[in-house]
Amino acid sequence: MPKLTINGMEIEVERGTSILQAAEQLGVEIPRFCYHDKLSVPANCRMCLVEVEGGPPKPVASCAMACGDNMVVKTDSPMVQKARKGVMEMLLINHPLDCPICDQGGECDLQDQAVGYGFDRSRFYENKRAVTDKELGPLIKTSMNRCINCTRCVRFAEEIAGTPVLGQLNRGEDAEISTFIDELVKTELSGNLIDVCPVGALTSKPYAFKARPWELRKTETIDVHDAIGANIRIDVRGREVMRILPRLHEDVNEEWLGDRSRFSYDGLNNARLDRPYIRDAESGKLKEASWDEAFAFIAQGLKGLKGEEIAGLVGDLADLESVIALKDLFKRLGSPHMDCRTDGARFDTSNRAGYLFNSTIAGIEQADSILLIGTNPRWEAALINARIRKVINERRIPVGVVGEAADLTYKYHHVGDTLAELEKMVAEHKGKAKTERPLWIIGSGVFAREDGAAVHRRLYELAEEMGVVRTDENGSWNGFNVLHRAASRVGALDAGFVPQDGGRDFSEIIQGTKDGSVKALYLLGADEFDVRGQVGWKTFVIYQGHHGDAGAARADVILPGAAYTEKNGIYINTEGRVQYARKGSSPPGEAREDWKILRALSDALSDQLPYDTHAQLRARIFEQFPHMAQEDTILPADWSAFGAAGKISGEGFKNPLSDYYLTNAICRASATMQSCSTAFLGDRSLAEAAE
């Protein structure tokens, strides 16, 4: 291991570590523009120049120079200072210097480093060059005059996103970043181009000219648009969410964020429910009501009903506290009919290993083979797809797909569409495969069929045959992973919001509303299925949620709740990681946090829930589920048999999502997401029609 001296401080580093990385370990700051620790090293901005004693008689690029034994490095010598000032002066020759009207102003690396390392005046008076702005889609605003050709965006698009549509054209003064054939940047991770751009060349189009960073109140919380639980920061002015940015969490989302999570925030202000409504018996229309009137209406609607005639469903965005409160309320009402799987999935919930992402998201990087079963991770979990691509780029591991073929941004072997073809593959490779850490990722849509429980059992058996779960001299490995799409799903499953003894599941509850056996249905943010078309019209429907979406359109009573940015809540992601969301803004009008609504409703039903504060509710949760008290931890699940024996049809696995951008009530209310759906997916549907 090389041992070197940087600014008089000795350090020993791993072989291959660059001088810039070694300096960071010592806390020594070296400025840079083109270097990014998640991207390849081009060494083309020259801002990270340092002096190496005994080396070349000129500064060297620290990002591309590996550490050597007995090397003596100076990062702030007169030679280095002069070199940096020269580089900065050259970078600013053609820069428009329009900081007061630049959306990146206040958060610009070029601005900061010009102050810290550049001259205090310019010696150039010639005309600056002009570069045509590019049209990259509804999310990214370009101002290419500001571009310093660091190529971060080019490398991100190619290496991380897997959509190499950006490139550097021409040479010398005419060099510019562009798409080769005026193509849009069609990737679910395009918003990260804004983050990696060190100047104001790429900025957020929806956020343009809305606010300055110092005006915003910043809150660290958790994303709920998929089951990954990406760590995010919401920036709020007043009660309006102005933008959403990723936070660093290497084990979950690294430093990236999907476009749906980043840009759908305008949906938080559109089509919101801000007061209770009840359906007028005479006109059949919804009318405004007070909270007391709404609760009284519910009490009247449930009067005389037995517990077996009441059912409850939990939607994809619900926090754990509201799920527990609804479950407690249903226990008091005597109802066993409850389910959180509103996609119709049927699988064994008695064993956590059967529904968790057991290898963990970071564990994907340890896999030596990957098999995707009935899932399109590019749409269902874009950040997991990016991590799969990362592993493929680093170690060239084989990837197979069972189910519908899709563009996943990397090459794979398409095994087939059905479980029978998976069985055939297992039979051919059983005992012959040389992989030590095989990884299976099963989409939750695999179980959204009548034989879902039988498929669950068969997948367990096949995983056993292939050694997907093993313990040997190299340690233990569980490569059986279920990839959920709903932020609330794993938490609700852990909390037991599934059919109790004698209870009905989702499909049976829906059928009960049609045959009259289910006379009242409580929807807690359940919008992800056709409520209006599937729920019987004689059923008394209570909808609690934050958007006037599918559930609200069918409801007899509407109780306005809070969105994920407006409440403190517990979410458990697909790998079982416990994470706490934090309140960044206030709900509109008379809307309230969901658990508070359920607590107040229990009073109106004369069956009071035993907690009055959020702290008391969490104490009740932690007492029953101790692992939920440990933030950012995962409780591993013991591997044992799951599923149920039964006949399996020859039906092929289908990818459950047809539109990445419009998957929940917030996205459907977002004008930005609607624009993305039209821009990125609309042309595909037109092409298919033309064919």
Side-chain angles (χ1 to χ4, degrees):
M1 294 175 66
K3 184 181 290 186
L4 68 157
T5 303
I6 300 177
N7 291 353
M9 296 178 285
E10 281 195 357
I11 184 173
E12 190 172 2
V13 296
E14 295 284 341
R15 190 166 300 279
T17 302
S18 69
I19 294 174
L20 189 150
Q21 292 170 325
E24 281 189 339
Q25 293 179 30
L26 287 172
V28 175
E29 181 184 8
I30 296 178
R32 84 292 300 264
F33 290 116
C34 68
Y35 176 81
H36 190 286
D37 60 357
K38 300 292 184 186
L39 304 175
S40 59
V41 179
N44 59 13
C45 78
R46 319 310 288 181
M47 193 64 199
C48 65
L49 296 174
V50 296
E51 181 182 355
V52 178
E53 286 188 5
K58 60 180 182 180
V60 299
S62 61
C63 68
M65 174 71 77
C67 296
D69 255 334
N70 302 317
M71 185 180 279
V72 178
V73 178
K74 296 179 181 178
T75 69
D76 202 27
S77 66
M79 176 201 288
V80 171
Q81 292 179 8
K82 182 179 179 181
R84 286 177 183 166
K85 287 181 178 180
V87 170
M88 180 60 68
E89 190 173 16
M90 188 181 71
L91 287 175
L92 294 177
I93 288 175
N94 285 308
H95 199 77
L97 303 178
D98 57 348
C99 301
I101 61 165
C102 176
D103 239 30
Q104 197 87 338
E107 297 175 310
C108 175
D109 290 347
L110 183 64
Q111 197 176 53
D112 295 341
Q113 293 184 37
V115 172
Y117 303 99
F119 282 116
D120 60 353
R121 60 184 58 85
S122 173
R123 294 180 292 175
F124 291 87
Y125 298 96
E126 291 80 4
N127 292 331
K128 295 177 183 288
R129 74 168 188 163
V131 183
T132 306
D133 290 343
K134 311 300 185 293
E135 178 53 54
L136 302 183
L139 301 177
I140 301 176
K141 178 176 177 287
T142 62
S143 182
M144 303 311 293
N145 287 335
R146 302 169 184 156
C147 179
I148 61 171
N149 290 281
C150 71
T151 70
R152 276 191 184 184
C153 57
V154 177
R155 286 174 284 138
F156 176 86
E158 181 174 352
E159 298 167 14
I160 307 296
T163 52
V165 296
L166 289 170
Q168 189 170 32
L169 311 181
N170 309 320
R171 301 183 68 183
E173 186 181 357
D174 296 323
E176 62 177 288
I177 303 296
S178 177
T179 56
F180 293 109
I181 51 174
D182 291 333
E183 188 177 355
L184 301 181
V185 179
K186 296 181 181 178
T187 169
E188 297 73 27
L189 300 171
S190 65
N192 297 289
L193 293 171
I194 299 165
D195 291 343
V196 299
C197 181
V199 296
L202 304 177
T203 56
S204 170
K205 189 175 285 187
Y207 176 68
F209 310 118
K210 295 288 180 65
R212 287 296 193 184
W214 52 85
E215 299 178 274
L216 306 176
R217 186 175 67 255
K218 302 168 179 63
T219 305
E220 296 183 348
T221 186
I222 304 299
D223 173 60
V224 300
H225 288 279
D226 54 33
I228 295 176
N231 286 228
I232 60 172
R233 190 189 85 194
I234 59 172
D235 289 356
V236 179
R237 185 172 62 189
R239 63 156 301 275
E240 182 181 0
V241 176
M242 303 302 294
R243 66 176 177 179
I244 293 176
L245 300 173
R247 286 190 292 130
L248 177 67
H249 194 308
E250 291 289 358
D251 292 338
V252 181
N253 57 299
E254 298 183 284
E255 59 188 87
W256 315 125
L257 190 61
D259 289 348
R260 186 173 55 200
S261 305
R262 184 191 293 264
F263 292 108
S264 63
Y265 57 83
D266 61 319
L268 293 167
N269 299 317
N270 299 332
R272 288 299 301 270
L273 299 172
D274 60 357
R275 67 200 66 188
Y277 290 86
I278 59 177
R279 193 171 294 279
D280 184 69
E282 295 181 3
S283 66
K285 296 181 179 180
L286 291 167
K287 65 177 184 180
E288 296 179 15
S290 67
W291 280 105
D292 289 339
E293 289 173 335
F295 289 152
F297 192 79
I298 293 172
Q300 183 62 34
L302 299 181
K303 188 176 181 180
L305 295 185
K306 300 176 182 177
E308 294 78 15
E309 297 174 320
I310 305 171
L313 297 173
V314 163
D316 291 355
L317 308 181
D319 58 285
L320 184 65
E321 287 91 336
S322 62
V323 173
I324 293 286
L326 184 60
K327 183 183 177 185
D328 289 347
L329 180 61
F330 266 58
K331 278 188 175 181
R332 283 166 166 70
L333 295 175
S335 172
H337 309 315
M338 59 184 77
D339 207 345
C340 60
R341 297 164 294 178
T342 55
D343 56 353
R346 298 177 178 179
F347 53 85
D348 187 356
T349 61
S350 62
N351 185 348
R352 295 180 75 239
Y355 62 76
L356 287 184
F357 202 97
N358 292 287
S359 70
T360 72
I361 295 171
I364 294 173
E365 298 186 25
Q366 302 176 33
D368 50 17
S369 70
I370 297 176
L371 182 65
L372 306 175
I373 303 173
T375 182
N376 175 0
R378 182 174 176 181
W379 280 9
E380 295 178 45
L383 298 173
I384 283 181
N385 197 62
R387 200 172 293 248
I388 293 172
R389 177 177 169 79
K390 176 183 178 182
V391 178
I392 294 171
N393 287 344
E394 289 178 351
R395 293 192 278 112
R396 303 295 176 189
I397 66 173
V399 178
V401 170
V402 180
E404 286 188 80
D407 179 8
L408 300 179
T409 73
Y410 43 81
K411 292 181 179 179
Y412 58 83
H413 171 62
H414 188 224
V415 177
D417 294 331
T418 65
L419 185 64
E421 287 166 305
L422 173 61
E423 292 174 329
K424 181 180 177 182
M425 186 206 76
V426 171
E428 290 175 355
H429 293 85
K430 183 171 58 176
K432 302 175 184 177
K434 297 180 180 179
T435 58
E436 296 181 357
R437 294 180 179 271
L439 187 90
W440 285 15
I441 299 179
I442 299 116
S444 57
V446 163
F447 309 113
R449 39 196 271 177
E450 291 189 8
D451 59 355
V455 171
H456 203 203
R457 167 55 67 91
R458 189 64 184 130
L459 287 172
Y460 163 78
E461 295 169 349
L462 293 172
E464 284 281 286
E465 292 179 31
M466 281 296 290
V468 174
V469 181
R470 60 180 68 174
T471 301
D472 52 30
E473 65 277 2
N474 297 321
S476 60
W477 171 255
N478 188 336
F480 186 92
N481 302 299
V482 174
L483 178 58
H484 293 282
R485 306 190 306 277
S488 65
R489 189 63 48 84
V490 172
L493 291 171
D494 279 358
F497 199 90
V498 291
Q500 308 298 297
D501 291 339
R504 301 171 183 240
D505 64 14
F506 169 75
S507 300
E508 293 166 338
I509 288 172
I510 295 300
Q511 183 57 40
T513 66
K514 295 176 180 176
D515 63 27
S517 55
V518 173
K519 293 182 168 56
L521 178 62
Y522 201 110
L523 301 177
L524 180 59
D527 290 298
E528 281 63 53
F529 66 101
D530 182 12
V531 184
R532 208 166 185 176
Q534 295 187 44
V535 176
W537 280 96
K538 292 185 178 180
T539 303
F540 180 69
V541 177
I542 306 160
Y543 175 78
Q544 178 179 332
H546 41 75
H547 275 80
D549 206 70
R554 170 61 186 84
D556 295 294
V557 187
I558 295 176
L559 306 176
Y564 72 104
T565 58
E566 300 160 358
K567 58 186 174 184
N568 296 311
I570 300 173
Y571 290 92
I572 302 178
N573 75 351
T574 191
E575 59 183 347
R577 185 182 300 274
V578 179
Q579 300 191 104
Y580 296 167
R582 290 173 175 82
K583 181 177 180 177
S585 62
S586 301
E590 298 180 40
R592 297 290 182 268
E593 294 180 32
D594 291 301
W595 77 267
K596 290 183 178 179
I597 296 173
L598 291 161
R599 169 63 179 80
L601 176 59
S602 70
D603 275 346
L605 298 177
S606 302
D607 221 332
Q608 190 180 95
L609 293 175
Y611 29 78
D612 298 319
T613 66
H614 191 247
Q616 290 174 352
L617 173 54
R618 281 201 174 175
R620 175 253 182 279
I621 294 172
F622 298 157
E623 181 181 1
Q624 185 174 359
F625 309 104
H627 72 283
M628 295 181 185
Q630 305 299 317
E631 185 178 8
D632 200 35
T633 59
I634 299 173
L635 176 66
D638 295 328
W639 181 255
S640 59
F642 47 77
K647 186 177 180 181
I648 300 175
S649 73
E651 179 184 355
F653 297 132
K654 302 290 185 184
N655 292 335
L657 296 184
S658 59
D659 192 327
Y660 166 80
Y661 298 99
L662 302 175
T663 54
N664 57 50
I666 297 173
C667 292
R668 288 188 288 272
S670 166
T672 303
M673 291 295 99
Q674 292 172 13
S675 298
C676 289
S677 180
T678 302
F680 298 138
L681 304 179
D683 58 343
R684 183 192 63 173
S685 60
L686 292 174
E688 289 174 350
E691 291 168 3

